[in-house]
Amino acid sequence: MITLFILFIVGLGLLAGTASVLLALIWYLLLAIGRWRMFEKMGVAGWKGLIPVYADYILYGRCWQSLFFWISLAAAIVSGLGGNREHPGFLISVAGTLGAVLDAVLSWKVSRAFGHGILFTLGLILLNPIFTLYLGFGPDVYRGPQ
């Protein structure tokens, strides 16, 4: 009986792991489809939206300034260095905070570039693939940096 219970628990664990991987894959595919169309609306080849770092570089350049992409990239590298989990270090903490702030401002800039406001910005921050799909397939027109 205990063996059956252990097999049941292991099976639930495998099922949960498979489901989470499947959800992550669906989440990424939604983001990729939305970004492809969004980039086409911005006058950029859609396939460029599928290349992770390069797509962010283009997005910063088309909706804000490319300089902030490099600052965000440097902040991500510094914050990724890690350190002690209990005491990550001041520089690593500042870099992580700076990266999060720059990502939030980029969401604001993307929202403004397509004619939306703060509520849409919050949607881009919290449910990025869904709101990116809306930008890609919705009636919005790219207006350039605002």
Side-chain angles (χ1 to χ4, degrees), residues 37-43 62-63 109-116 120 134-146:
R37 292 281 299 142
M38 188 176 79
F39 272 52
E40 286 179 342
K41 282 186 175 184
M42 291 189 305
R62 299 290 287 173
C63 296
K109 295 291 188 175
V110 169
S111 176
R112 297 294 301 145
F114 283 92
H116 293 284
F120 201 87
Y134 180 78
L135 286 178
F137 290 98
D140 303 318
V141 177
Y142 174 70
R143 300 174 182 183
Q146 302 292 313

PDB file of all heavy atoms in Angstrom, residues 37-43 62-63 109-116 120 134-146:
ATOM      1  N   ARG A  37       4.200  39.830 -34.995  1.00  0.00           N
ATOM      2  CA  ARG A  37       3.243  40.786 -35.574  1.00  0.00           C
ATOM      3  C   ARG A  37       3.508  42.211 -35.099  1.00  0.00           C
ATOM      4  O   ARG A  37       3.369  43.164 -35.859  1.00  0.00           O
ATOM      5  CB  ARG A  37       1.818  40.370 -35.215  1.00  0.00           C
ATOM      6  CG  ARG A  37       1.371  39.099 -35.873  1.00  0.00           C
ATOM      7  CD  ARG A  37       0.963  39.295 -37.306  1.00  0.00           C
ATOM      8  NE  ARG A  37      -0.158  40.232 -37.343  1.00  0.00           N
ATOM      9  CZ  ARG A  37      -0.338  41.164 -38.265  1.00  0.00           C
ATOM     10  NH1 ARG A  37       0.487  41.258 -39.258  1.00  0.00           N
ATOM     11  NH2 ARG A  37      -1.362  41.971 -38.217  1.00  0.00           N
ATOM     12  N   MET A  38       3.877  42.367 -33.831  1.00  0.00           N
ATOM     13  CA  MET A  38       4.157  43.696 -33.293  1.00  0.00           C
ATOM     14  C   MET A  38       5.355  44.321 -34.011  1.00  0.00           C
ATOM     15  O   MET A  38       5.332  45.497 -34.366  1.00  0.00           O
ATOM     16  CB  MET A  38       4.426  43.604 -31.791  1.00  0.00           C
ATOM     17  CG  MET A  38       4.542  44.938 -31.104  1.00  0.00           C
ATOM     18  SD  MET A  38       4.729  44.779 -29.324  1.00  0.00           S
ATOM     19  CE  MET A  38       6.456  44.378 -29.206  1.00  0.00           C
ATOM     20  N   PHE A  39       6.382  43.528 -34.266  1.00  0.00           N
ATOM     21  CA  PHE A  39       7.549  44.038 -34.969  1.00  0.00           C
ATOM     22  C   PHE A  39       7.191  44.424 -36.404  1.00  0.00           C
ATOM     23  O   PHE A  39       7.694  45.417 -36.923  1.00  0.00           O
ATOM     24  CB  PHE A  39       8.691  43.012 -34.941  1.00  0.00           C
ATOM     25  CG  PHE A  39       9.566  43.133 -33.734  1.00  0.00           C
ATOM     26  CD1 PHE A  39       9.029  43.139 -32.457  1.00  0.00           C
ATOM     27  CD2 PHE A  39      10.930  43.237 -33.862  1.00  0.00           C
ATOM     28  CE1 PHE A  39       9.832  43.255 -31.341  1.00  0.00           C
ATOM     29  CE2 PHE A  39      11.750  43.347 -32.754  1.00  0.00           C
ATOM     30  CZ  PHE A  39      11.197  43.356 -31.494  1.00  0.00           C
ATOM     31  N   GLU A  40       6.327  43.636 -37.040  1.00  0.00           N
ATOM     32  CA  GLU A  40       5.897  43.994 -38.395  1.00  0.00           C
ATOM     33  C   GLU A  40       5.160  45.331 -38.392  1.00  0.00           C
ATOM     34  O   GLU A  40       5.330  46.135 -39.310  1.00  0.00           O
ATOM     35  CB  GLU A  40       5.011  42.895 -38.977  1.00  0.00           C
ATOM     36  CG  GLU A  40       5.797  41.660 -39.376  1.00  0.00           C
ATOM     37  CD  GLU A  40       4.918  40.549 -39.926  1.00  0.00           C
ATOM     38  OE1 GLU A  40       3.688  40.567 -39.709  1.00  0.00           O
ATOM     39  OE2 GLU A  40       5.484  39.647 -40.572  1.00  0.00           O
ATOM     40  N   LYS A  41       4.352  45.588 -37.373  1.00  0.00           N
ATOM     41  CA  LYS A  41       3.663  46.878 -37.278  1.00  0.00           C
ATOM     42  C   LYS A  41       4.648  48.028 -37.081  1.00  0.00           C
ATOM     43  O   LYS A  41       4.370  49.147 -37.485  1.00  0.00           O
ATOM     44  CB  LYS A  41       2.672  46.883 -36.105  1.00  0.00           C
ATOM     45  CG  LYS A  41       1.387  46.165 -36.400  1.00  0.00           C
ATOM     46  CD  LYS A  41       0.428  46.346 -35.238  1.00  0.00           C
ATOM     47  CE  LYS A  41      -0.913  45.740 -35.537  1.00  0.00           C
ATOM     48  NZ  LYS A  41      -1.872  45.983 -34.459  1.00  0.00           N
ATOM     49  N   MET A  42       5.794  47.736 -36.452  1.00  0.00           N
ATOM     50  CA  MET A  42       6.803  48.768 -36.233  1.00  0.00           C
ATOM     51  C   MET A  42       7.687  48.971 -37.462  1.00  0.00           C
ATOM     52  O   MET A  42       8.585  49.792 -37.455  1.00  0.00           O
ATOM     53  CB  MET A  42       7.679  48.417 -35.028  1.00  0.00           C
ATOM     54  CG  MET A  42       6.959  48.490 -33.719  1.00  0.00           C
ATOM     55  SD  MET A  42       8.022  48.337 -32.259  1.00  0.00           S
ATOM     56  CE  MET A  42       8.879  46.808 -32.551  1.00  0.00           C
ATOM     57  N   GLY A  43       7.449  48.197 -38.512  1.00  0.00           N
ATOM     58  CA  GLY A  43       8.242  48.331 -39.727  1.00  0.00           C
ATOM     59  C   GLY A  43       9.542  47.547 -39.683  1.00  0.00           C
ATOM     60  O   GLY A  43      10.483  47.841 -40.421  1.00  0.00           O
ATOM     61  N   ARG A  62      13.302  51.306 -31.048  1.00  0.00           N
ATOM     62  CA  ARG A  62      12.094  51.780 -31.735  1.00  0.00           C
ATOM     63  C   ARG A  62      11.118  52.497 -30.798  1.00  0.00           C
ATOM     64  O   ARG A  62      10.300  53.280 -31.258  1.00  0.00           O
ATOM     65  CB  ARG A  62      11.372  50.626 -32.412  1.00  0.00           C
ATOM     66  CG  ARG A  62      12.185  49.905 -33.464  1.00  0.00           C
ATOM     67  CD  ARG A  62      12.406  50.705 -34.690  1.00  0.00           C
ATOM     68  NE  ARG A  62      11.150  50.774 -35.425  1.00  0.00           N
ATOM     69  CZ  ARG A  62      10.949  51.512 -36.480  1.00  0.00           C
ATOM     70  NH1 ARG A  62      11.906  52.246 -36.951  1.00  0.00           N
ATOM     71  NH2 ARG A  62       9.793  51.516 -37.083  1.00  0.00           N
ATOM     72  N   CYS A  63      11.185  52.191 -29.488  1.00  0.00           N
ATOM     73  CA  CYS A  63      10.224  52.773 -28.556  1.00  0.00           C
ATOM     74  C   CYS A  63      10.856  53.717 -27.540  1.00  0.00           C
ATOM     75  O   CYS A  63      10.143  54.473 -26.874  1.00  0.00           O
ATOM     76  CB  CYS A  63       9.481  51.663 -27.806  1.00  0.00           C
ATOM     77  SG  CYS A  63       8.488  50.635 -28.892  1.00  0.00           S
ATOM     78  N   LYS A 109       6.958  52.814 -22.403  1.00  0.00           N
ATOM     79  CA  LYS A 109       7.294  53.379 -23.711  1.00  0.00           C
ATOM     80  C   LYS A 109       6.625  52.601 -24.846  1.00  0.00           C
ATOM     81  O   LYS A 109       6.145  53.194 -25.816  1.00  0.00           O
ATOM     82  CB  LYS A 109       8.813  53.400 -23.915  1.00  0.00           C
ATOM     83  CG  LYS A 109       9.551  54.313 -22.960  1.00  0.00           C
ATOM     84  CD  LYS A 109       9.248  55.757 -23.252  1.00  0.00           C
ATOM     85  CE  LYS A 109      10.120  56.668 -22.429  1.00  0.00           C
ATOM     86  NZ  LYS A 109       9.936  58.074 -22.784  1.00  0.00           N
ATOM     87  N   VAL A 110       6.593  51.278 -24.748  1.00  0.00           N
ATOM     88  CA  VAL A 110       5.920  50.463 -25.762  1.00  0.00           C
ATOM     89  C   VAL A 110       4.429  50.775 -25.763  1.00  0.00           C
ATOM     90  O   VAL A 110       3.807  50.950 -26.817  1.00  0.00           O
ATOM     91  CB  VAL A 110       6.168  48.947 -25.521  1.00  0.00           C
ATOM     92  CG1 VAL A 110       5.272  48.098 -26.406  1.00  0.00           C
ATOM     93  CG2 VAL A 110       7.630  48.616 -25.767  1.00  0.00           C
ATOM     94  N   SER A 111       3.856  50.874 -24.577  1.00  0.00           N
ATOM     95  CA  SER A 111       2.437  51.200 -24.452  1.00  0.00           C
ATOM     96  C   SER A 111       2.130  52.543 -25.106  1.00  0.00           C
ATOM     97  O   SER A 111       1.175  52.683 -25.864  1.00  0.00           O
ATOM     98  CB  SER A 111       2.055  51.223 -22.975  1.00  0.00           C
ATOM     99  OG  SER A 111       0.726  51.616 -22.791  1.00  0.00           O
ATOM    100  N   ARG A 112       2.948  53.539 -24.844  1.00  0.00           N
ATOM    101  CA  ARG A 112       2.750  54.882 -25.431  1.00  0.00           C
ATOM    102  C   ARG A 112       2.982  54.863 -26.942  1.00  0.00           C
ATOM    103  O   ARG A 112       2.291  55.565 -27.683  1.00  0.00           O
ATOM    104  CB  ARG A 112       3.691  55.893 -24.779  1.00  0.00           C
ATOM    105  CG  ARG A 112       3.453  56.110 -23.304  1.00  0.00           C
ATOM    106  CD  ARG A 112       2.134  56.749 -22.973  1.00  0.00           C
ATOM    107  NE  ARG A 112       2.052  58.038 -23.627  1.00  0.00           N
ATOM    108  CZ  ARG A 112       0.939  58.566 -24.116  1.00  0.00           C
ATOM    109  NH1 ARG A 112      -0.196  57.927 -24.014  1.00  0.00           N
ATOM    110  NH2 ARG A 112       0.943  59.734 -24.708  1.00  0.00           N
ATOM    111  N   ALA A 113       3.943  54.076 -27.408  1.00  0.00           N
ATOM    112  CA  ALA A 113       4.236  54.013 -28.845  1.00  0.00           C
ATOM    113  C   ALA A 113       3.062  53.446 -29.635  1.00  0.00           C
ATOM    114  O   ALA A 113       2.927  53.719 -30.822  1.00  0.00           O
ATOM    115  CB  ALA A 113       5.491  53.172 -29.096  1.00  0.00           C
ATOM    116  N   PHE A 114       2.197  52.685 -28.972  1.00  0.00           N
ATOM    117  CA  PHE A 114       1.013  52.142 -29.630  1.00  0.00           C
ATOM    118  C   PHE A 114      -0.268  52.856 -29.184  1.00  0.00           C
ATOM    119  O   PHE A 114      -1.367  52.378 -29.453  1.00  0.00           O
ATOM    120  CB  PHE A 114       0.903  50.636 -29.372  1.00  0.00           C
ATOM    121  CG  PHE A 114       1.847  49.824 -30.226  1.00  0.00           C
ATOM    122  CD1 PHE A 114       3.110  49.489 -29.773  1.00  0.00           C
ATOM    123  CD2 PHE A 114       1.470  49.409 -31.498  1.00  0.00           C
ATOM    124  CE1 PHE A 114       3.977  48.751 -30.558  1.00  0.00           C
ATOM    125  CE2 PHE A 114       2.323  48.663 -32.290  1.00  0.00           C
ATOM    126  CZ  PHE A 114       3.585  48.338 -31.814  1.00  0.00           C
ATOM    127  N   GLY A 115      -0.130  53.989 -28.497  1.00  0.00           N
ATOM    128  CA  GLY A 115      -1.280  54.811 -28.155  1.00  0.00           C
ATOM    129  C   GLY A 115      -2.046  54.408 -26.908  1.00  0.00           C
ATOM    130  O   GLY A 115      -3.218  54.736 -26.770  1.00  0.00           O
ATOM    131  N   HIS A 116      -1.415  53.716 -25.982  1.00  0.00           N
ATOM    132  CA  HIS A 116      -2.085  53.281 -24.753  1.00  0.00           C
ATOM    133  C   HIS A 116      -1.518  54.008 -23.549  1.00  0.00           C
ATOM    134  O   HIS A 116      -0.526  54.725 -23.651  1.00  0.00           O
ATOM    135  CB  HIS A 116      -1.941  51.769 -24.566  1.00  0.00           C
ATOM    136  CG  HIS A 116      -2.680  50.972 -25.590  1.00  0.00           C
ATOM    137  ND1 HIS A 116      -4.035  50.806 -25.563  1.00  0.00           N
ATOM    138  CD2 HIS A 116      -2.237  50.308 -26.678  1.00  0.00           C
ATOM    139  CE1 HIS A 116      -4.407  50.070 -26.591  1.00  0.00           C
ATOM    140  NE2 HIS A 116      -3.325  49.759 -27.295  1.00  0.00           N
ATOM    141  N   PHE A 120      -2.587  49.770 -19.686  1.00  0.00           N
ATOM    142  CA  PHE A 120      -1.996  48.855 -20.668  1.00  0.00           C
ATOM    143  C   PHE A 120      -0.549  48.534 -20.289  1.00  0.00           C
ATOM    144  O   PHE A 120      -0.087  47.412 -20.478  1.00  0.00           O
ATOM    145  CB  PHE A 120      -2.070  49.453 -22.073  1.00  0.00           C
ATOM    146  CG  PHE A 120      -1.954  48.424 -23.157  1.00  0.00           C
ATOM    147  CD1 PHE A 120      -3.075  47.766 -23.626  1.00  0.00           C
ATOM    148  CD2 PHE A 120      -0.718  48.095 -23.700  1.00  0.00           C
ATOM    149  CE1 PHE A 120      -2.976  46.802 -24.619  1.00  0.00           C
ATOM    150  CE2 PHE A 120      -0.601  47.141 -24.689  1.00  0.00           C
ATOM    151  CZ  PHE A 120      -1.736  46.485 -25.153  1.00  0.00           C
ATOM    152  N   TYR A 134      -2.159  41.243 -28.226  1.00  0.00           N
ATOM    153  CA  TYR A 134      -3.125  42.282 -28.547  1.00  0.00           C
ATOM    154  C   TYR A 134      -2.473  43.376 -29.395  1.00  0.00           C
ATOM    155  O   TYR A 134      -3.073  43.862 -30.358  1.00  0.00           O
ATOM    156  CB  TYR A 134      -3.728  42.890 -27.275  1.00  0.00           C
ATOM    157  CG  TYR A 134      -4.735  43.958 -27.588  1.00  0.00           C
ATOM    158  CD1 TYR A 134      -6.019  43.621 -27.993  1.00  0.00           C
ATOM    159  CD2 TYR A 134      -4.394  45.300 -27.514  1.00  0.00           C
ATOM    160  CE1 TYR A 134      -6.941  44.599 -28.315  1.00  0.00           C
ATOM    161  CE2 TYR A 134      -5.306  46.285 -27.822  1.00  0.00           C
ATOM    162  CZ  TYR A 134      -6.583  45.933 -28.218  1.00  0.00           C
ATOM    163  OH  TYR A 134      -7.488  46.907 -28.537  1.00  0.00           O
ATOM    164  N   LEU A 135      -1.252  43.766 -29.041  1.00  0.00           N
ATOM    165  CA  LEU A 135      -0.564  44.781 -29.851  1.00  0.00           C
ATOM    166  C   LEU A 135      -0.308  44.263 -31.262  1.00  0.00           C
ATOM    167  O   LEU A 135      -0.411  45.016 -32.228  1.00  0.00           O
ATOM    168  CB  LEU A 135       0.769  45.176 -29.204  1.00  0.00           C
ATOM    169  CG  LEU A 135       0.695  46.046 -27.962  1.00  0.00           C
ATOM    170  CD1 LEU A 135       2.093  46.309 -27.420  1.00  0.00           C
ATOM    171  CD2 LEU A 135      -0.013  47.354 -28.249  1.00  0.00           C
ATOM    172  N   GLY A 136       0.017  42.997 -31.379  1.00  0.00           N
ATOM    173  CA  GLY A 136       0.313  42.429 -32.687  1.00  0.00           C
ATOM    174  C   GLY A 136      -0.903  42.247 -33.561  1.00  0.00           C
ATOM    175  O   GLY A 136      -0.879  42.544 -34.754  1.00  0.00           O
ATOM    176  N   PHE A 137      -2.001  41.772 -32.995  1.00  0.00           N
ATOM    177  CA  PHE A 137      -3.172  41.440 -33.791  1.00  0.00           C
ATOM    178  C   PHE A 137      -4.328  42.418 -33.623  1.00  0.00           C
ATOM    179  O   PHE A 137      -5.320  42.317 -34.325  1.00  0.00           O
ATOM    180  CB  PHE A 137      -3.640  40.022 -33.464  1.00  0.00           C
ATOM    181  CG  PHE A 137      -2.707  38.972 -33.966  1.00  0.00           C
ATOM    182  CD1 PHE A 137      -1.776  38.386 -33.127  1.00  0.00           C
ATOM    183  CD2 PHE A 137      -2.746  38.581 -35.290  1.00  0.00           C
ATOM    184  CE1 PHE A 137      -0.890  37.430 -33.595  1.00  0.00           C
ATOM    185  CE2 PHE A 137      -1.872  37.623 -35.769  1.00  0.00           C
ATOM    186  CZ  PHE A 137      -0.945  37.045 -34.928  1.00  0.00           C
ATOM    187  N   GLY A 138      -4.216  43.341 -32.684  1.00  0.00           N
ATOM    188  CA  GLY A 138      -5.281  44.305 -32.454  1.00  0.00           C
ATOM    189  C   GLY A 138      -5.266  45.448 -33.473  1.00  0.00           C
ATOM    190  O   GLY A 138      -4.430  45.482 -34.377  1.00  0.00           O
ATOM    191  N   PRO A 139      -6.149  46.402 -33.285  1.00  0.00           N
ATOM    192  CA  PRO A 139      -6.266  47.510 -34.236  1.00  0.00           C
ATOM    193  C   PRO A 139      -5.225  48.615 -34.055  1.00  0.00           C
ATOM    194  O   PRO A 139      -5.216  49.591 -34.805  1.00  0.00           O
ATOM    195  CB  PRO A 139      -7.669  48.057 -33.929  1.00  0.00           C
ATOM    196  CG  PRO A 139      -7.853  47.785 -32.478  1.00  0.00           C
ATOM    197  CD  PRO A 139      -7.157  46.457 -32.238  1.00  0.00           C
ATOM    198  N   ASP A 140      -4.331  48.456 -33.075  1.00  0.00           N
ATOM    199  CA  ASP A 140      -3.381  49.517 -32.769  1.00  0.00           C
ATOM    200  C   ASP A 140      -2.391  49.756 -33.889  1.00  0.00           C
ATOM    201  O   ASP A 140      -1.988  48.834 -34.586  1.00  0.00           O
ATOM    202  CB  ASP A 140      -2.614  49.177 -31.482  1.00  0.00           C
ATOM    203  CG  ASP A 140      -3.553  48.955 -30.317  1.00  0.00           C
ATOM    204  OD1 ASP A 140      -4.512  49.725 -30.197  1.00  0.00           O
ATOM    205  OD2 ASP A 140      -3.324  47.997 -29.567  1.00  0.00           O
ATOM    206  N   VAL A 141      -1.974  51.001 -34.004  1.00  0.00           N
ATOM    207  CA  VAL A 141      -0.997  51.416 -35.007  1.00  0.00           C
ATOM    208  C   VAL A 141       0.226  51.935 -34.269  1.00  0.00           C
ATOM    209  O   VAL A 141       0.102  52.665 -33.281  1.00  0.00           O
ATOM    210  CB  VAL A 141      -1.572  52.528 -35.915  1.00  0.00           C
ATOM    211  CG1 VAL A 141      -0.545  53.023 -36.903  1.00  0.00           C
ATOM    212  CG2 VAL A 141      -2.813  52.011 -36.636  1.00  0.00           C
ATOM    213  N   TYR A 142       1.403  51.555 -34.733  1.00  0.00           N
ATOM    214  CA  TYR A 142       2.644  52.041 -34.142  1.00  0.00           C
ATOM    215  C   TYR A 142       2.791  53.515 -34.476  1.00  0.00           C
ATOM    216  O   TYR A 142       2.737  53.918 -35.634  1.00  0.00           O
ATOM    217  CB  TYR A 142       3.827  51.226 -34.681  1.00  0.00           C
ATOM    218  CG  TYR A 142       5.166  51.735 -34.248  1.00  0.00           C
ATOM    219  CD1 TYR A 142       5.573  51.617 -32.930  1.00  0.00           C
ATOM    220  CD2 TYR A 142       6.011  52.352 -35.149  1.00  0.00           C
ATOM    221  CE1 TYR A 142       6.819  52.085 -32.526  1.00  0.00           C
ATOM    222  CE2 TYR A 142       7.259  52.817 -34.769  1.00  0.00           C
ATOM    223  CZ  TYR A 142       7.648  52.687 -33.448  1.00  0.00           C
ATOM    224  OH  TYR A 142       8.863  53.158 -33.051  1.00  0.00           O
ATOM    225  N   ARG A 143       2.984  54.336 -33.448  1.00  0.00           N
ATOM    226  CA  ARG A 143       3.088  55.786 -33.623  1.00  0.00           C
ATOM    227  C   ARG A 143       4.497  56.313 -33.439  1.00  0.00           C
ATOM    228  O   ARG A 143       4.719  57.510 -33.522  1.00  0.00           O
ATOM    229  CB  ARG A 143       2.157  56.477 -32.629  1.00  0.00           C
ATOM    230  CG  ARG A 143       0.713  56.080 -32.829  1.00  0.00           C
ATOM    231  CD  ARG A 143      -0.152  56.652 -31.773  1.00  0.00           C
ATOM    232  NE  ARG A 143      -1.535  56.190 -31.976  1.00  0.00           N
ATOM    233  CZ  ARG A 143      -2.526  56.569 -31.236  1.00  0.00           C
ATOM    234  NH1 ARG A 143      -2.356  57.397 -30.232  1.00  0.00           N
ATOM    235  NH2 ARG A 143      -3.733  56.107 -31.503  1.00  0.00           N
ATOM    236  N   GLY A 144       5.412  55.446 -33.126  1.00  0.00           N
ATOM    237  CA  GLY A 144       6.794  55.868 -32.879  1.00  0.00           C
ATOM    238  C   GLY A 144       7.002  56.214 -31.420  1.00  0.00           C
ATOM    239  O   GLY A 144       6.080  56.219 -30.617  1.00  0.00           O
ATOM    240  N   PRO A 145       8.246  56.531 -31.059  1.00  0.00           N
ATOM    241  CA  PRO A 145       8.543  56.862 -29.659  1.00  0.00           C
ATOM    242  C   PRO A 145       7.740  58.085 -29.220  1.00  0.00           C
ATOM    243  O   PRO A 145       7.619  59.056 -29.957  1.00  0.00           O
ATOM    244  CB  PRO A 145      10.029  57.159 -29.659  1.00  0.00           C
ATOM    245  CG  PRO A 145      10.548  56.661 -30.958  1.00  0.00           C
ATOM    246  CD  PRO A 145       9.422  56.590 -31.897  1.00  0.00           C
ATOM    247  N   GLN A 146       7.245  58.027 -28.008  1.00  0.00           N
ATOM    248  CA  GLN A 146       6.451  59.149 -27.483  1.00  0.00           C
ATOM    249  C   GLN A 146       7.174  59.817 -26.329  1.00  0.00           C
ATOM    250  O   GLN A 146       7.690  59.205 -25.495  1.00  0.00           O
ATOM    251  CB  GLN A 146       5.080  58.651 -27.003  1.00  0.00           C
ATOM    252  CG  GLN A 146       4.292  57.952 -28.079  1.00  0.00           C
ATOM    253  CD  GLN A 146       3.824  58.855 -29.197  1.00  0.00           C
ATOM    254  OE1 GLN A 146       3.294  59.927 -28.937  1.00  0.00           O
ATOM    255  NE2 GLN A 146       4.054  58.454 -30.420  1.00  0.00           N
TER     256      GLN A 146
END
